[in-house]
Amino acid sequence: MPDDLVTVTIDGIAVQVPKGTPLIEAAKRAGILVPHYCYHPSLPAPAVCRMCLVEVEKAPKLLPACVTTVADGQVVHVHSEAAEQAREGVLEFLLINHPLDCPICDQAGECELQDYVFQEGRSGSRYDDYPKRFNPVEDFGPDILYVPNRCILCTRCVRFMDDVAKTPVLNVSERGDRATIGIFPETTLDHPWSGNVVDLCPVGSLVSKDFLHKARAWELDKTASICPGCTQGCNVTIETPEHNVVRLRPRPNMEVNRHFICDEGRMNYRWMNRGDRVEAPRVKDGARYQAVDWDSASRARAVSQSTA
Ligand code: SF4
Ligand code: SF4
Ligand code: FES
């Protein structure tokens, strides 16, 4: 085994990964998803959500998999009773103030809170007798609304603006159970990459005005493609309910666009829905052009070239 590799066993599966790999990424190699909120592979890891707690043999307490790096011979349990109980507790805290918005929430169907509560959460609430915190929706920028009641304060949006966009306009305002994401006075979320915060938000707290209520996540067909907007060639996914393009989203490619795209590329999809686009090659037949299949078009082209 090369010196720069270590072997760890995660839920009984042994994997070899480079030294310094976070446990959460090593688990991915073993085909195991460690639940997480604040961690994102293209952002610095602050370990604030505690959703990724796992049990590591010989460690005195549960460890956050997003900032714990692998060690040779480590034995990790993602689905031990202690780890699952800790994550259930995190989810219970998150739901104390979370609204029952799923039927009207744009994120439903692709929401990491829905998914993890379904997988590991309690089946009922112990806080029914207490009123939930309420804050009004805020307009953060030309395409972005902030719904504070759904926010789980993972801070991915803040870190994206600080560390990737290098335009720190977002912050965590207030403290404790009153904390929300704030926007600095006289600023707006109009950076040319700001749409990425909507993708990064694991819940329906940052939503795109352009996509709002256009489609439910489970109605979308997804097609891998490349953004035609410029020579960077960012990898995208085209999302279409019934052949109508409603959203472009970044598709991860660490060598080209990491997990992001610019807003210009993101919004450059309406022309795809035009009814007058040419859908098949056309060959001139007398005074008219006829739609034909590609083989016929190639043959017609070869004939016209040979007679030119
Ligand atoms: S953020 Fe998720 S859990 Fe909350 S209302 Fe929206 S879909 Fe439901
Ligand atoms: S708005 Fe979304 S991304 Fe930002 S802190 Fe809240 S949950 Fe996280
Ligand atoms: S994902 Fe590890 S603490 Fe948030």
Side-chain angles (χ1 to χ4, degrees):
M1 185 175 78
D3 283 351
D4 55 349
L5 289 183
V6 296
T7 302
V8 288
T9 305
I10 304 174
D11 280 356
I13 300 170
V15 280
Q16 288 188 339
V17 290
K19 280 181 184 162
T21 304
L23 274 181
I24 199 166
E25 291 296 331
K28 268 189 211 165
R29 296 267 186 99
I32 296 163
L33 174 69
V34 179
H36 58 279
Y37 288 126
C38 65
Y39 175 76
H40 186 281
S42 284
L43 296 176
V48 291
C49 75
R50 316 315 274 181
M51 189 57 198
C52 65
L53 290 175
V54 294
E55 194 171 348
V56 179
E57 284 188 11
K58 300 197 180 115
K61 54 185 183 176
L62 299 175
L63 297 177
C66 62
V67 288
T68 306
T69 48
V70 289
D72 200 33
Q74 217 168 28
V75 180
V76 181
H77 303 284
V78 177
H79 291 289
S80 71
E81 195 182 335
E84 287 189 350
Q85 202 177 23
R87 296 198 297 265
E88 185 189 279
V90 172
L91 289 168
E92 185 176 23
F93 273 123
L94 289 177
L95 289 182
I96 289 176
N97 278 306
H98 200 87
L100 258 181
D101 267 1
C102 304
I104 53 146
C105 178
D106 254 16
Q107 194 82 2
E110 54 188 12
C111 172
E112 291 169 43
L113 187 57
Q114 262 186 341
D115 290 349
Y116 293 142
V117 169
F118 182 71
Q119 279 171 35
E120 305 199 337
R122 297 176 65 89
S123 55
S125 171
R126 293 188 285 182
Y127 294 87
D128 283 342
D129 295 339
Y130 302 91
K132 289 184 191 267
R133 176 194 64 186
F134 177 81
N135 289 299
V137 174
E138 286 182 55
D139 192 347
F140 267 9
D143 185 48
I144 297 172
L145 293 175
Y146 174 54
V147 187
N149 301 331
R150 299 178 191 154
C151 180
I152 58 169
L153 287 167
C154 69
T155 72
R156 284 188 197 179
C157 53
V158 178
R159 280 174 285 136
F160 175 82
M161 294 311 297
D162 287 3
D163 297 297
V164 181
K166 306 279 185 207
T167 307
V169 294
L170 300 180
N171 58 58
V172 179
S173 299
E174 301 285 354
R175 296 170 66 188
D177 72 343
R178 294 185 308 283
T180 58
I181 295 302
I183 187 158
F184 287 113
E186 293 171 28
T187 63
T188 181
L189 205 47
D190 61 357
H191 186 279
W193 301 343
S194 53
N196 291 297
V197 298
V198 175
D199 304 328
L200 286 167
C201 183
V203 292
S205 187
L206 289 169
V207 289
S208 158
K209 295 177 194 172
D210 181 68
F211 182 68
L212 199 64
H213 306 320
K214 267 192 187 162
R216 305 309 321 236
W218 52 87
E219 295 170 345
L220 297 171
D221 291 322
K222 300 187 179 183
T223 308
S225 189
I226 304 290
C227 173
C230 79
T231 51
Q232 179 74 12
C234 291
N235 292 208
V236 296
T237 303
I238 300 180
E239 301 190 347
T240 49
E242 296 178 4
H243 308 299
N244 202 32
V245 180
V246 291
R247 183 166 71 172
L248 298 188
R249 296 227 284 180
R251 192 162 48 87
N253 183 328
M254 296 313 275
E255 264 117 59
V256 180
N257 52 294
R258 293 163 65 192
H259 292 81
F260 311 123
I261 53 172
C262 74
D263 288 3
E264 185 153 334
R266 185 184 296 275
M267 293 300 173
N268 181 25
Y269 69 85
R270 288 193 173 75
W271 60 272
M272 297 177 195
N273 295 326
R274 277 174 47 179
D276 59 352
R277 289 182 64 202
V278 176
E279 290 178 347
R282 289 170 184 235
V283 171
K284 200 164 188 185
D285 179 12
R288 303 185 58 204
Y289 284 94
Q290 297 284 357
V292 295
D293 59 37
W294 284 102
D295 286 343
S296 308
S298 296
R299 280 196 298 276
R301 183 163 180 269
V303 169
S304 81
Q305 275 182 333
S306 66
T307 56

